[in-house]
Amino acid sequence: MDWFYIKGILILSGINLMAVLGLSLLTGFTGLFSFGHAGFMAIGAYVTAMGTVKLGLPFAAALLLGAAGAALASFFIGRITLNLKGDYFCIATLGFGEAIRLILDNVQYFGGARGWPNLPRSTNFTIVVILNIIGIIILANLINSRHGRNFKAIREEELASQTIGINVFRYKMTALMISAAYAGVAGGLLGHYLGFLQPKMFQFIKSTELTITVIFGGLGSISGSVIGALVLTSLPELLRTFAIWRLVVYGAAVVFIMISRPQGLMGGYEIPVGKIFKKLFSRFAYGKKQAVGGGKQ
Amino acid sequence: MKLLQLKNVTKQFGGLMAVDNVSFDVERGSIFGLIGPNGAGKTTIFNLITGIYKVTEGEILFEGIETNSMQPYRVAELGITRTFQNIRLFKKLTTYENILTACHYNVRYGLVDAVLRNKRFKAEEKGLLAHAEELMNIMGLEDRRDVIAGNLPYGLQRRLEIARALALRPKLLLLDEPAAGMNPDETARLMTLIKEIRDRFNLTVLVIEHHMDLIMGVCERIVVLNFGKKLAEGTAGEVQANPKVIEAYLGEEEVVVC
Ligand SMILES: Nc1ncnc2c1ncn2[C@@H]1O[C@H](COP(=O)(O)OP(=O)(O)O)[C@@H](O)[C@H]1O
Ligand SMILES: [Mg+2]
């Protein structure tokens, strides 16, 4: 295995992670299940491609446009479906995801079902890493605030959330739009990594994969989502030598986790990244002080 | 001054008159009792006041404002909050997190403030944490700070639900059978606590109780419901002496004896 190959897997993991982070907010923290997030990825992918190819925008601006496009679409979907009870919302998102794919199949402007080739390959390892770090920081800051607590309250007990003054509809909408924006960025990155787009890249199975990843990592855990995305994207790749058996192993791994740890790998807990950094840093600083030979005692 | 007014309030579920033309006024600063046998419509009245159900007929006024068409969260913003007969805590969050979440309402920082961790966020969040700690101490929950709410003993869960409600700094607090499942001793302590809370936070309290004798001591005024209709209203003494009330309650007791 050479570095080029590993880098490719890491980039794909990172792209999936971007979408999974958003979905983690919606499903893991707010308690809404979606089976249509591939649809938001598709919108992000095609809008971003439109930005770079047809409008000649720089990649960063096109990504933002893609995120905005996905968020806007989610706003309209949310207006119609967020008042529905949980299960119906889930089914509505499923329908939405498939509808987007079918529409793209038939829009010749974007290449239709045959796809859209020759996109600039602007996505690289550095961009993916930086965007994911930004994505994680934004999500973590959001979760550790009154807004994050409100998301969790809605997940735990919707009626009680209302009676303590939480505008449940608005918070659900916020979670949906943010998660769609993340998915949109992931889509934009994907198209500009592969160099082409095809509607069938965003099938129902893609949505399912994202939701499985969030559950696998543990609902309500950002670090769980990160580990989940890394493991579940790279696993099928690393198992490629097993040819047809790899997807069986993948499925078995998911089933095993779900049986042995129904709450997912991390299950609501976080790896205390901040604390670990602080510890490392204070040790480092301490060592330096010693080396300088003094400091305050 | 009247804080809360119910005027000819009716709630119909299909053919069932759960609340049938009920009117009463709650004075600011009072502890007001709502009693009646099971199925009398007490909880339904709470659901109407808090906007969870919409009234079929009649109107509900809070500080003179009609609340009939408001969403529950808007009613909460007006200063009305409640506890539930079948406790509804955020079960997987800790005691502290339950209270802290409900404190949210007292600050206004937005999503962007939270993401940027700016001055406003830090200042307001600090206030929230302090407020939550304070409430936890007042309600005697500080030694259960990090216990998952679902794992608390029953009595403390009820107490936590009251603490969470108080976090909103409400004007009107609705307690739905807060003594359910408690022994007489715990009940007596709870009633003292309700009085203390009222005085300390300048509240008006509307409390539902299923057993009449339990709240006779704390309530300044009581409404008795039966089959959705108002049976009687008055002070504890007046209500207890009312023949209609005696009949309704004796009727119920006979059922228990059989
Ligand atoms: N959502 C509902 N749908 C249909 N019937 C209801 C509903 N809520 C309450 N009821 C009925 O209304 C009546 C009053 O119920 P409730 O207010 O819960 O009584 P209480 O709290 O006094 O015991 C009962 O007969 C109950 O079955
Ligand atoms: Mg009841």
Side-chain angles (χ1 to χ4, degrees):
Chain A
M1 266 194 291
D2 58 321
W3 170 234
F4 185 73
Y5 179 63
I6 295 175
K7 209 158 76 170
I9 294 177
L10 285 177
I11 288 176
L12 280 178
S13 304
I15 290 171
N16 275 339
L17 174 56
M18 203 68 201
V20 166
L21 283 174
L23 198 58
S24 185
L25 175 67
L26 186 71
T27 304
F29 290 97
T30 317
L32 286 170
F33 282 82
S34 159
F35 285 97
H37 260 53
F40 297 124
M41 272 183 89
I43 293 174
Y46 278 84
V47 171
T48 307
M50 199 176 78
T52 54
V53 176
K54 314 245 177 196
L55 307 177
L57 293 175
F59 188 40
L63 277 176
L64 275 179
L65 194 67
L72 188 68
S74 76
F75 173 77
F76 290 113
I77 302 300
R79 282 300 289 267
I80 310 167
T81 59
L82 277 178
N83 277 324
L84 304 175
K85 288 265 169 280
D87 302 346
Y88 296 101
F89 171 76
C90 184
I91 292 166
T93 56
L94 197 161
F96 158 77
E98 287 301 279
I100 290 295
R101 190 175 58 80
L102 290 171
I103 290 169
L104 288 173
D105 261 345
N106 291 295
V107 177
Q108 295 311 321
Y109 180 74
F110 291 138
R114 266 176 301 123
W116 187 348
N118 302 324
L119 299 180
R121 293 175 163 242
S122 319
T123 302
N124 59 37
F125 184 69
T126 319
I127 289 179
V128 171
V129 170
I130 289 174
L131 284 182
N132 270 304
I133 289 174
I134 294 174
I136 290 172
I137 290 174
I138 290 177
L139 191 58
N141 283 356
L142 216 51
I143 294 303
N144 293 310
S145 75
R146 76 180 178 105
H147 303 295
R149 294 189 291 267
N150 288 356
F151 289 129
K152 286 191 250 180
I154 292 169
R155 176 191 72 193
E156 293 296 313
E157 182 59 70
E158 203 171 311
L159 197 59
S161 302
Q162 297 254 22
T163 61
I164 60 166
I166 298 174
N167 185 345
V168 170
F169 181 80
R170 219 187 78 197
Y171 270 94
K172 283 182 175 177
M173 181 65 98
T174 306
L176 178 64
M177 288 178 71
I178 293 174
S179 75
Y182 273 74
V185 173
L189 288 172
L190 184 65
H192 289 76
Y193 172 63
L194 300 175
F196 69 95
L197 281 173
Q198 246 185 333
K200 75 170 184 208
M201 289 154 70
F202 306 101
Q203 270 167 332
F204 168 63
I205 185 136
K206 183 74 197 169
S207 302
T208 318
E209 204 182 289
L210 296 174
T211 298
I212 286 178
T213 309
V214 173
I215 298 173
F216 179 91
L219 294 178
S221 165
I222 300 173
S223 22
S225 293
V226 174
I227 297 171
L230 289 176
V231 171
L232 290 189
T233 315
S234 49
L235 199 60
E237 291 302 326
L238 297 177
L239 293 171
R240 210 169 262 285
T241 39
F242 290 97
I244 53 170
W245 287 104
R246 69 193 180 98
L247 288 177
V248 177
V249 174
Y250 172 91
V254 172
V255 171
F256 176 74
I257 282 286
M258 269 10 307
I259 290 172
S260 59
R261 264 186 86 79
Q263 70 276 46
L265 274 180
M266 295 299 291
Y269 292 95
E270 296 290 358
I271 298 171
V273 181
K275 270 187 207 154
I276 293 171
F277 264 110
K278 251 183 212 154
K279 220 172 204 173
L280 281 177
F281 183 75
S282 66
R283 190 164 290 173
F284 175 70
Y286 181 70
K288 226 162 122 182
K289 266 184 204 159
Q290 288 241 316
V292 170
K296 275 178 265 174
Q297 286 300 319
Chain B
M1 193 203 141
K2 311 277 179 255
L3 184 70
L4 179 75
Q5 294 174 285
L6 272 72
K7 293 184 175 169
N8 306 100
V9 171
T10 296
K11 178 67 188 179
Q12 219 170 336
F13 293 112
L16 175 80
M17 289 289 221
V19 177
D20 191 355
N21 201 18
V22 170
S23 306
F24 61 83
D25 296 342
V26 178
E27 291 283 332
R28 193 184 290 274
S30 63
I31 299 181
F32 195 101
L34 202 55
I35 66 175
N38 255 329
K42 306 179 297 291
T43 300
T44 303
I45 287 184
F46 271 22
N47 284 333
L48 292 171
I49 296 173
T50 50
I52 293 169
Y53 295 158
K54 300 288 162 237
V55 294
T56 311
E57 261 174 70
E59 57 179 4
I60 299 174
L61 301 174
F62 180 72
E63 296 188 310
I65 301 167
E66 201 184 354
T67 63
N68 298 2
S69 55
M70 285 187 187
Q71 292 262 343
Y73 81 90
R74 286 277 304 129
V75 175
E77 283 177 356
L78 286 181
I80 304 179
T81 192
R82 67 178 291 182
T83 64
F84 293 88
Q85 185 172 351
N86 45 346
I87 307 172
R88 286 177 186 270
L89 288 168
F90 306 129
K91 283 198 191 64
K92 279 191 240 144
L93 307 184
T94 65
T95 300
Y96 178 65
E97 286 168 337
N98 265 273
I99 301 176
L100 183 59
T101 304
C103 291
H104 83 107
Y105 165 66
N106 306 303
V107 299
R108 292 275 147 231
Y109 71 78
L111 290 168
V112 176
D113 297 316
V115 168
L116 298 180
R117 309 256 121 174
N118 58 15
K119 259 199 194 127
R120 176 170 186 200
F121 166 83
K122 281 181 183 144
E124 293 193 345
E125 191 75 354
K126 208 169 148 192
L128 286 186
L129 302 185
H131 185 204
E133 293 282 353
E134 185 195 341
L135 267 174
M136 202 167 53
N137 294 341
I138 292 173
M139 296 299 285
L141 290 162
E142 67 274 21
D143 50 340
R144 310 287 177 127
R145 187 182 198 277
D146 297 318
V147 178
I148 301 293
N151 297 340
L152 284 173
Y154 191 74
L156 289 185
Q157 290 197 14
R158 290 225 172 264
R159 200 176 262 256
L160 175 55
E161 221 190 3
I162 297 176
R164 185 182 68 184
L166 289 174
L168 268 85
R169 301 204 168 103
K171 295 171 188 157
L172 175 64
L173 175 62
L174 311 180
L175 302 173
D176 196 344
E177 305 208 11
M182 291 187 180
N183 61 34
D185 209 40
E186 286 174 316
T187 307
R189 248 183 294 149
L190 180 76
M191 294 304 156
T192 322
L193 179 71
I194 292 173
K195 266 190 197 156
E196 280 172 15
I197 292 171
R198 189 262 313 255
D199 297 338
R200 178 161 196 156
F201 297 97
N202 272 324
L203 281 179
T204 308
V205 182
L206 183 52
V207 53
I208 289 181
E209 212 12 275
H210 172 72
H211 298 285
M212 194 157 66
D213 35 338
L214 297 183
I215 56 166
M216 286 305 171
V218 274
C219 294
E220 281 119 29
R221 212 169 168 76
I222 292 168
V223 160
V224 186
L225 287 176
N226 200 16
F227 296 116
K229 289 201 175 66
K230 187 164 102 174
L231 203 62
E233 178 174 353
T235 61
E238 287 166 7
V239 165
Q240 262 169 328
N242 189 317
K244 280 198 258 176
V245 176
I246 296 169
E247 193 185 331
Y249 267 83
L250 281 181
E252 199 207 13
E253 230 130 78
E254 262 167 19
V255 174
V256 173
V257 171
C258 287

